[in-house]
Amino acid sequence: MNFDKKVVIITGGGQGIGETYAKSFAAAGASVVIAELNEEGGQRVADEICQTGGKAAFIKTDVSSEENAAAAAKFAKDTFGGIDILVNNAAIFHGMRYDTLLNVDMDYYYQIMKINMHSPLVMTRAVVSYMDERGGGSVINQSSTAAWKTQGGYYGVSKLGVQGLTMCLASELGERNIRVNAIAPGPCDTEATRQVPEEILSHVINGLALKRLGETDDIVNMAKFLASEEGGWITGQTFRVDGGDTMLPA
């Protein structure tokens, strides 16, 4: 899949799966904008892409802010000429506090929802007019297999909301040739997962049909397919890329 002359915005692209998104799309020829709150991580990834001959730029972005989202979209247009693909990867997960829905501090709950569930809408609204200029585009939202698991708590609720948002936006934007899909990763080998105690992680892996953690490339390969011409008649769907973590009827 070749993304020459395509411009991609990756939110939360300064680490983890987001970093792999950024580097993989750049390696496939895309110009990449890393919209990331972490300045050090976002700039590092952009620099590393440019050092290997790719095209990338970083802009500090609070993805829940309409003003920041608009600035990131304008930056992509001014820097690379337009926007073709948006990957809404940014989320609160690593270091997240765990509590029950009945006991979680409501201000913290609202913050989780603002970033994890509402920011994909904020960012999508910011890029739509630029995608119109290019004749269409592709939006890929990051969900999670936690959406199907009650132990996921408010994180799972936020990711289930992303799936509903994906379907509604796909319906609204289809006539503008903008496709909207979601990916629900299972347990992957990221910095966040490496903080999980070994005995718990072993239990998680043993529960998978494929007895290994996912690699970030496993997730990104699906995203590249969905963003490509080969995925051109797919919209409104959530794809579980999880090694058999969730085996559910379609």
Side-chain angles (χ1 to χ4, degrees):
M1 288 169 282
N2 189 300
F3 292 94
D4 283 345
K5 299 181 181 178
K6 299 295 185 182
V7 180
V8 186
I9 296 179
I10 311 288
T11 70
Q15 63 279 312
I17 294 175
E19 179 173 348
T20 306
Y21 276 128
K23 291 181 175 178
S24 186
F25 272 103
S31 301
V32 176
V33 171
I34 298 165
E36 164 73 70
L37 195 59
N38 180 334
E39 292 183 72
E40 182 179 356
Q43 190 62 61
R44 173 187 61 80
V45 173
D47 290 344
E48 289 176 1
I49 289 171
C50 292
Q51 288 163 8
T52 58
K55 292 172 284 188
F58 161 72
I59 180 169
K60 184 176 181 180
T61 308
D62 174 355
V63 292
S64 68
S65 161
E66 292 182 77
E67 292 77 13
N68 276 213
K74 184 177 185 301
F75 176 79
K77 171 65 183 288
D78 292 346
T79 306
F80 295 122
I83 302 169
D84 301 287
I85 300 161
L86 168 66
V87 180
N88 283 311
N89 165 75
I92 297 174
F93 179 65
H94 182 44
M96 182 182 66
R97 302 202 303 260
Y98 291 93
D99 208 339
T100 66
L101 284 167
L102 292 180
N103 293 322
V104 62
D105 175 79
M106 289 305 295
D107 285 340
Y108 187 70
Y109 173 86
Y110 292 137
Q111 178 67 12
I112 292 288
M113 294 299 159
K114 183 170 73 169
I115 301 297
N116 290 12
M117 187 168 72
H118 299 310
S119 71
L121 173 59
V122 172
M123 287 298 303
T124 300
R125 286 164 54 125
V127 305
V128 162
S129 63
Y130 297 101
M131 288 185 173
D132 282 339
E133 293 174 0
R134 311 276 269 197
S138 174
V139 177
I140 298 167
N141 296 324
Q142 192 95 309
S143 180
S144 168
T145 55
W148 290 276
K149 299 184 176 185
T150 56
Q151 65 267 36
Y154 43 83
Y155 178 78
V157 171
S158 72
K159 292 303 187 177
L160 186 59
V162 167
Q163 296 178 23
L165 179 70
T166 296
M167 291 186 289
C168 291
L169 284 173
S171 179
E172 287 190 26
L173 294 173
E175 64 183 7
R176 298 163 77 164
N177 197 33
I178 297 174
R179 299 181 297 106
V180 187
N181 291 291
I183 299 174
C188 289
D189 184 16
T190 63
E191 184 61 33
T193 308
R194 293 177 200 129
Q195 307 306 311
V196 176
E198 181 61 36
E199 62 274 13
I200 296 177
L201 196 56
S202 295
H203 177 73
V204 169
I205 293 172
N206 286 334
L208 302 176
L210 302 176
K211 306 300 182 184
R212 69 168 177 87
L213 291 175
E215 301 292 337
T216 52
D217 278 336
D218 294 321
I219 312 305
V220 174
N221 288 339
M222 173 60 81
K224 287 162 68 178
F225 168 70
L226 291 174
S228 72
E229 292 182 3
E230 287 84 349
W233 208 50
I234 301 173
T235 196
Q237 307 301 311
T238 296
F239 293 87
R240 300 187 296 272
V241 185
D242 65 0
D245 185 30
T246 54
M247 295 191 185
L248 302 171

